[in-house]
Amino acid sequence: MKQIKGVNDFVVKFANVNGTGSASANHLFAKAIFRMGIPVSPRNIFPSNIQGLPTWYEVRVSSKGYLGRRGGVDMMVCVNPQSMEQDVASVEPGGYFLYDNTKPLAQHLKRGDISYFGVPLTEMCMREFPVPRLQQLLKNMVYVGAMAALLDINFSILKDLLNDQFKGKEKLISSNVHALEMGYQYATETFKCPLPIRLEQGGNVAPHILESEHILMNGNTAAALGAIYGGATVAAWYPITPSTSVVDAFSKYAKRMRIDAGTGKKNFAIVQAEDELAAMGMVVGAGWNGARAFTATSGPGLSLMSEFLGLAYFAEVPVVLINVQRSGPSTGMPTRSQQSDILAGAYASHGDTKQVLLFPATPRECFEMTVQAFDLADRLQTPIIMMSDLDLGMNDWMSPPLEWDDTYEMDRGKVLNAEELDKAETWGRYLDVDGDGICYRTLPGAHPSKGAYFTRGSSKNEMAVYSELGEDYVQNVDRLLRKFDTAKSYVPRPKTHPPIEVKKPKTDLKLGALFFGTSASPSYEAVEILATEGYSINTMRIRAFPFHESLDQFIHDHDVVFVIEQNRDGQMRQLIMNECQIAPSKLTSVLNYSGTPITARAIAGKIRETLSTQPENVVPLHPETA
Amino acid sequence: MSYIKPKFRHPNLPTNRLGYTVADYDGAVSTLCAGCGHDSISAAIRNACFASALEPHRIAKISGIGCSSKMPTYFLGKSHGFNSVHGRMPSVATGASLANRDLTYVGVSGDGDTASIGMGQFIHLIRRNLNMTYIVANNGCYGLTKGQDSATADLGSVSKAGDANPFDGIDLASLAILQGASFVGRSFSGDKTQLEPLIRAAMAHKGFAFIDVVSPCVTFNNHAGSTKSYSETRDHLDVMPLDFVPMREEIRTQYAEGTTQSVTLHDGSVIHLHKADTSYRSDDRKSAMHAVQTAEDEGRILTGLLYLDPDSQDLHQNIQLASRPLNELGKDELCPGSKVLNSINEGLR
């Protein structure tokens, strides 16, 4: 049997039972690799369940620093009899399978092309620990210990991490370290350690990884910090997976950083609303009244908030919504990731609406874009929806450290204070004085006799007086469109990279790939894989809607453009078809909507397949026609 | 109704403590039907704000959707207003109040807006005890869509189309008392001597003040057979008068022993309640529930200040919010800066 080999380059997957404490042990495993300075990306693939159902934790180690999913499993650690059959089957030929051999492995689970490592986890814990709950929890530590020996994890890092985690609870530290050592010892005595797949501290890591002191954090925590730094004072929300941890983290940080020193009172308000409708209503009320307010939700919540999003669009109220996408429709697979709210977000609400969307791809962008979302909401006086997803929001990502420029000033947009109102000759709430579609607003209570107006969802004229005249309505909604156009110059621009040179190109077609959010990382990797095969593909990562003009140009400049996204209907492709002046036939979807994040191998496979069957009627663009 | 609102004011109109005349609390001309009860409520709100000498620009008016929710346009033209979404005024008011706790919030809603589509938000608003005055203009029907029964229509009340309502109506005042609202009143749009002091008391109360105002719909619910017509309402009213004495004024009137209960609000204002039933205590929830229920059983509509908890803790107090309005805070108070962020980074390594 030819075993898989690799230093700092492999995929390990843990198969556990939900609610048995495996997540923290698996996290310890990933964090130890991270502390060794080796690029790692852990992913929790978990069921909508508190206890009992199968759950997986996939850890990718990549010396080149690829953080998306690769596809395939090199080593499986299986401590869940429920899923063992599929877990055995999912290991790549030449791979490795670690399991609890307290009970012997069933005959039908034995494959000839993978290596088995039996560790009597249950038996060891029964023997060593008296308390049943500890027997279950520490089983996880025993396999982490065994993995440390098999993969050559720096054992002292594991111990340091446990010391950090259980600071002040010495008893817990010693029992956990003991369990780790048991596993480590068993593995070194029983197996030939390390395996051909292994870790090497200071090994062949890509130079760009070594450039900065990375952090390991999830997108929801980063977004919450963005809300703190962006000056959010009101958070109204309703619990929904996978967005809940945004407000949990906001609450945690706000309690640390937003307490008034003199009085001990709060400079922030968090309200757990009765539903998403009320959550958005509160954000609208607070935004109308001049506070920076936000909510976080996911698909079903976005649907419930849509009526208010329409009001906020039409009444021109700043709103920030962090939408952490999951599988839909309806409650779908609430703990599985997708990018399937693109159209629901872009056109949220009834009537003619267009909403500003931001697409972060990393925790750092979650942080920066959340800060920016508050500035944009105030500047554009409209809802800003940041479209994250479960993969980005709930998983830990290796990221360059968050940075803050202390000279940052909030952009509160066009708000007239009492002094400015006194100076203004005429003021109308919906007068487009500057021609950019953005009008001057006032806040309640600002001036004794000037600037009061009535905000309404119903139609009005430029002076904010109720009007059902067709021309007033048309003027207003046309101005809103002008404002949406103005938004293009404020939202983050798409990112492009210089093309990868290909020595012997397999095609003379000009190839492009468009993607956004968590599809980006595996897309970049797929492009690099394909470059080695003779396909040169230019990339553009979309970061906001409305789209920048360069997106149109990018599509014009290529013969075939792959749109890589994680939903069934190619929603970003549809949005591009709807909003850009391009030939839709140029856009080829590359999709994944299984609920588990898209992999580089799947993307490369689909592109390869498309190119090998490319219809002959695609005529390559020539420089003179491009 | 009139299409033109005269701008002329008598030069010697009386002024309040702040120097404002009642005209300074006017709004735009009403577009509701002539004789609509809601216009009387608008006038009562205007008069109450004038009498209590509130600064118009420090009041924010918020409403949902419906005839009732159009009302804020027709009073307090110098105040900001927000005509929001059907049944969702409570959440908008909550957000607005969180952003700036220093303004006075007046919410106007209707029986459809509150008792049907907005019931969930209404109940939760009570639960949070938001510091605001919440007035329901209650006519038992959907006026803007031409007279369908609402959820507060009484059992057996005949609609304009001629059908008797087969369902029990929801009594919002009882519900509010039961749910723990800290101030619950009921009145009749045609009884301004009671409604005006009731609104003044509600606005002085620190916490959620709810007033259910029976406000007949002249167009769709004022016919024989309707239990919410002007004549039916008048015939069944059981009025408990009240006086509102603001903190700054001396108490001059003397009241007969036993029939009057005085309640002092947090700001020092005093409410004097006059009741026929001396055993009824309006600061006792059980007693209030009993009185409302007894009146209902006897076919009377008990109006007045039904229940009041003068010591209630409002939302801001309950969530330990700082006294400075959140919308006044700037970068210095809100943004922790790069040093803190660096230490957060350190913790994530």
Side-chain angles (χ1 to χ4, degrees):
Chain A
M1 179 181 25
K2 197 181 164 198
Q3 288 187 318
I4 298 173
K5 286 182 191 167
V7 176
N8 298 342
D9 219 349
F10 51 84
V11 175
V12 177
K13 197 167 178 176
F14 298 87
N16 301 95
V17 180
N18 211 26
T20 57
S22 59
S24 56
N26 298 341
H27 177 72
L28 179 76
F29 171 82
K31 185 102 188 220
I33 300 172
F34 169 77
R35 281 253 177 118
M36 288 171 73
I38 300 163
V40 61
S41 52
R43 279 183 176 77
N44 201 359
I45 298 161
F46 59 106
S48 177
N49 160 266
I50 297 299
Q51 208 168 66
L53 286 181
T55 181
W56 290 272
Y57 193 84
E58 189 179 286
V59 179
R60 177 171 190 194
V61 180
S62 163
S63 56
K64 286 187 179 164
Y66 294 133
L67 301 178
R69 286 181 76 216
R70 184 197 70 181
V73 178
D74 301 321
M75 179 163 195
M76 178 69 75
V77 177
C78 183
V79 275
N80 185 3
Q82 290 175 77
S83 63
M84 203 175 264
E85 200 163 330
Q86 75 182 85
D87 293 332
V88 167
S90 65
V91 179
E92 296 279 302
Y96 309 86
F97 191 85
L98 187 149
Y99 66 104
D100 182 355
N101 68 352
T102 304
K103 271 178 154 184
L105 192 69
Q107 199 58 39
H108 72 282
L109 296 176
K110 290 180 181 162
R111 275 172 58 180
D113 59 348
I114 60 175
S115 311
Y116 287 86
F117 301 86
V119 183
L121 301 171
T122 307
E123 191 196 307
M124 288 163 83
C125 289
M126 296 280 276
R127 197 176 58 224
E128 210 64 29
F129 305 108
V131 189
R133 180 66 185 154
L134 275 186
Q135 289 167 1
Q136 188 188 45
L137 287 175
L138 293 173
K139 219 158 76 167
N140 304 311
M141 282 300 157
V142 177
Y143 72 66
V144 172
M147 290 296 281
L150 288 165
L151 299 178
D152 219 0
I153 294 178
N154 185 331
F155 200 82
S156 65
I157 289 181
L158 282 172
K159 281 207 277 194
D160 287 351
L161 285 168
L162 281 176
N163 280 321
D164 291 353
Q165 193 184 338
F166 297 117
K167 212 171 235 169
K169 299 170 188 166
E170 305 306 323
K171 259 189 173 173
L172 279 175
I173 297 175
S174 60
S175 56
N176 275 282
V177 170
H178 182 47
L180 275 180
E181 282 168 345
M182 279 162 57
Y184 191 88
Q185 197 182 346
Y186 184 89
T188 38
E189 286 169 2
T190 318
F191 314 118
K192 188 169 177 280
C193 296
L195 298 176
I197 54 166
R198 63 181 175 87
L199 299 160
E200 190 181 306
Q201 203 159 359
N204 54 341
V205 172
H208 74 276
I209 299 295
L210 303 171
E211 275 167 18
S212 63
E213 275 193 279
H214 282 74
I215 56 171
L216 197 62
M217 90 182 301
N218 63 62
N220 283 356
T221 303
L225 276 170
I228 295 276
Y229 276 75
T233 51
V234 177
W237 71 299
Y238 186 77
I240 180 170
T241 306
S243 70
T244 304
S245 55
V246 175
V247 181
D248 282 348
F250 180 76
S251 172
K252 184 182 90 177
Y253 288 118
K255 281 176 191 163
R256 266 164 51 186
M257 303 170 189
R258 288 285 190 77
I259 302 294
D260 186 70
T263 60
K265 296 282 177 69
K266 294 174 181 167
N267 277 332
F268 66 96
I270 299 174
V271 181
Q272 185 183 321
E274 52 271 31
D275 53 34
E276 285 92 344
L277 288 83
M280 184 47 88
M282 290 173 198
V283 173
V284 168
W288 173 74
N289 216 357
R292 288 198 152 179
F294 78 102
T295 187
T297 194
S298 188
L302 178 67
S303 295
L304 288 174
M305 291 174 181
S306 289
E307 186 190 28
F308 258 124
L309 285 170
L311 175 81
Y313 171 83
F314 198 56
E316 301 184 68
V317 179
V319 161
V320 171
L321 164 58
I322 296 164
N323 183 43
V324 188
Q325 298 168 93
R326 66 186 211 187
S327 306
S330 193
T331 58
M333 295 194 290
T335 61
R336 310 301 164 126
S337 198
Q338 267 185 3
Q339 301 177 307
S340 50
D341 296 338
I342 309 304
L343 291 171
Y347 301 127
S349 209
H350 47 276
D352 286 321
T353 49
K354 286 180 190 235
Q355 309 287 6
V356 177
L357 309 180
L358 305 178
F359 301 104
T362 63
R364 189 154 143 166
E365 270 190 348
C366 286
F367 173 73
E368 290 167 355
M369 283 188 180
T370 303
V371 175
Q372 195 179 8
F374 288 101
D375 284 341
L376 287 171
D378 275 339
R379 170 57 47 187
L380 300 167
Q381 302 175 14
T382 198
I384 307 294
I385 308 177
M386 189 173 87
M387 305 286 277
S388 177
D389 64 23
L390 183 145
D391 184 22
L392 178 56
M394 291 189 73
N395 286 319
D396 278 331
W397 290 64
M398 200 178 75
S399 161
L402 304 182
E403 283 174 7
W404 187 252
D405 175 3
D406 285 316
T407 63
Y408 163 81
E409 294 294 337
M410 294 182 195
D411 178 4
R412 300 305 315 259
K414 300 182 186 178
V415 184
L416 297 179
N417 60 26
E419 209 176 302
E420 290 160 336
L421 273 167
D422 276 328
K423 276 190 215 154
E425 274 178 27
T426 51
W427 171 80
R429 171 65 183 93
Y430 304 106
L431 273 175
D432 186 7
V433 181
D434 303 327
D436 57 3
I438 307 169
C439 310
Y440 289 81
R441 68 181 186 127
T442 59
L443 300 181
H447 192 288
S449 58
K450 290 178 179 173
Y453 73 102
F454 205 73
T455 305
R456 57 182 94 229
S458 40
S459 188
K460 61 258 168 175
N461 64 18
E462 291 176 316
M463 306 307 284
V465 176
Y466 183 91
S467 167
E468 292 186 24
L469 288 176
E471 46 275 38
D472 285 339
Y473 177 83
V474 168
Q475 183 185 48
N476 190 49
V477 293
D478 284 353
R479 179 182 54 76
L480 289 175
L481 205 56
R482 198 153 66 239
K483 184 167 87 168
F484 198 70
D485 205 46
T486 299
K488 284 181 186 174
S489 58
Y490 284 98
V491 298
R493 296 190 170 205
K495 287 238 164 159
T496 51
H497 292 284
I500 305 169
E501 271 190 42
V502 172
K503 281 177 189 154
K504 288 181 192 163
K506 266 191 191 158
T507 171
D508 51 1
L509 292 174
K510 284 194 165 181
L511 305 175
L514 293 170
F515 41 78
F516 59 97
T518 52
S519 299
S521 196
S523 295
Y524 287 127
E525 184 178 354
V527 165
E528 291 187 24
I529 293 171
L530 291 165
T532 64
E533 299 171 16
Y535 294 112
S536 175
I537 304 170
N538 294 315
T539 60
M540 177 174 269
R541 177 160 73 89
I542 296 166
R543 299 203 301 158
F545 176 70
F547 299 127
H548 192 254
E549 292 90 24
S550 59
L551 175 65
D552 280 72
Q553 194 60 47
F554 183 86
I555 297 167
H556 279 290
D557 290 348
H558 293 88
D559 299 305
V560 179
V561 177
F562 297 97
V563 187
I564 303 158
E565 55 186 315
Q566 301 182 62
N567 56 67
R568 185 193 67 182
D569 294 338
Q571 295 187 23
M572 183 58 86
R573 180 177 180 268
Q574 289 188 46
L575 191 61
I576 293 168
M577 280 159 55
N578 225 9
E579 300 284 336
C580 300
Q581 303 300 313
I582 51 108
S585 60
K586 277 191 170 184
L587 304 179
T588 301
S589 279
V590 176
L591 306 173
N592 168 65
Y593 43 95
S594 61
T596 41
I598 195 167
T599 67
R601 285 183 182 175
I603 296 167
K606 168 74 184 177
I607 292 177
R608 200 182 288 124
E609 180 194 315
T610 307
L611 292 175
S612 65
T613 58
Q614 190 64 39
E616 284 167 9
N617 57 9
V618 177
V619 182
L621 283 171
H622 293 287
E624 61 271 24
T625 60
Chain B
M1 67 183 277
S2 159
Y3 297 99
I4 301 158
K5 197 159 195 166
K7 290 232 168 93
F8 172 76
R9 300 281 180 243
H10 192 282
N12 297 329
L13 269 181
T15 57
N16 62 18
R17 190 168 48 78
L18 299 175
Y20 289 113
T21 70
V22 73
D24 289 317
Y25 296 85
D26 269 338
V29 64
S30 170
T31 61
L32 297 169
C33 308
C36 177
H38 297 9
D39 285 333
S40 308
I41 302 175
S42 292
I45 295 171
R46 177 195 64 173
N47 294 346
C49 292
F50 167 72
S52 287
L54 301 175
E55 289 181 286
H57 76 290
R58 303 297 294 173
I59 303 170
K61 313 166 288 182
I62 305 182
S63 62
I65 292 293
C67 290
S68 62
S69 296
K70 284 171 170 272
M71 284 164 57
T73 315
Y74 315 137
F75 59 85
L76 297 174
K78 289 178 178 166
S79 309
H80 274 68
F82 196 160
N83 189 179
S84 67
V85 193
H86 201 16
R88 318 289 175 220
M89 174 267 275
S91 60
V92 177
T94 303
S97 172
L98 289 173
N100 186 354
R101 59 184 296 173
D102 284 354
L103 302 183
T104 300
Y105 293 93
V106 182
V108 181
S109 180
D111 36 313
D113 198 55
T114 290
S116 287
I117 190 167
M119 184 57 104
Q121 294 209 349
F122 175 62
I123 289 286
H124 286 274
L125 187 62
I126 295 174
R127 191 177 138 247
R128 294 191 185 100
N129 201 20
L130 187 75
N131 185 17
M132 75 176 294
T133 299
Y134 188 117
I135 297 170
V136 166
N138 185 354
N139 58 18
C141 73
Y142 285 77
L144 271 183
T145 51
K146 302 200 172 178
Q148 299 79 8
D149 282 340
S150 81
T152 65
D154 297 304
L155 178 69
S157 184
V158 178
S159 71
K160 187 134 189 191
D163 300 323
N165 178 22
F167 305 114
D168 261 323
I170 292 170
D171 178 11
L172 290 170
S174 302
L175 190 75
I177 297 171
L178 197 66
Q179 185 51 47
S182 51
F183 179 117
V184 180
R186 181 156 52 204
S187 193
F188 170 48
S189 63
D191 184 2
K192 70 172 183 176
T193 54
Q194 182 197 53
L195 183 55
E196 284 178 21
L198 192 59
I199 293 172
R200 294 181 69 190
M203 293 172 97
H205 171 66
K206 190 174 187 185
F208 184 68
F210 175 65
I211 309 175
D212 175 26
V213 188
V214 182
S215 175
C217 174
V218 284
T219 305
F220 295 110
N221 212 6
N222 198 32
H223 46 269
S226 158
T227 60
K228 283 197 168 52
S229 65
Y230 275 107
S231 60
E232 275 293 296
T233 307
R234 283 214 171 86
D235 286 352
H236 295 87
L237 279 185
D238 180 352
V239 181
M240 296 188 294
L242 78 159
D243 296 309
F244 175 76
V245 184
M247 174 190 57
R248 289 182 181 80
E249 287 176 25
E250 266 179 73
I251 301 168
R252 274 171 297 211
T253 335
Q254 293 292 314
Y255 300 99
E257 193 74 22
T259 59
T260 298
Q261 183 195 340
S262 300
V263 187
T264 307
L265 297 177
H266 82 105
D267 70 348
S269 307
V270 181
I271 306 167
H272 300 288
L273 308 161
H274 315 293
K275 309 156 301 187
D277 177 2
T278 51
S279 66
Y280 168 32
R281 294 213 44 99
S282 63
D283 53 1
D284 179 278
R285 187 173 294 144
K286 270 186 269 180
S287 176
M289 282 302 292
H290 180 74
V292 173
Q293 209 59 56
T294 306
E296 195 188 313
D297 291 349
E298 292 168 3
R300 294 177 287 124
I301 306 164
L302 189 63
T303 65
L305 177 52
L306 304 176
Y307 174 72
L308 171 65
D309 171 9
D311 304 319
S312 84
Q313 296 272 309
D314 80 338
L315 174 67
H316 297 114
Q317 290 170 298
N318 284 331
I319 64 170
Q320 314 283 320
L321 205 62
S323 54
R324 199 164 150 211
L326 293 177
N327 71 351
E328 286 180 10
L329 303 177
K331 184 183 135 186
D332 292 345
E333 295 90 356
L334 300 177
C335 186
S338 61
K339 272 190 191 159
V340 173
L341 195 62
N342 291 341
S343 73
I344 292 170
N345 280 326
E346 204 43 57
L348 294 166
R349 285 189 180 118

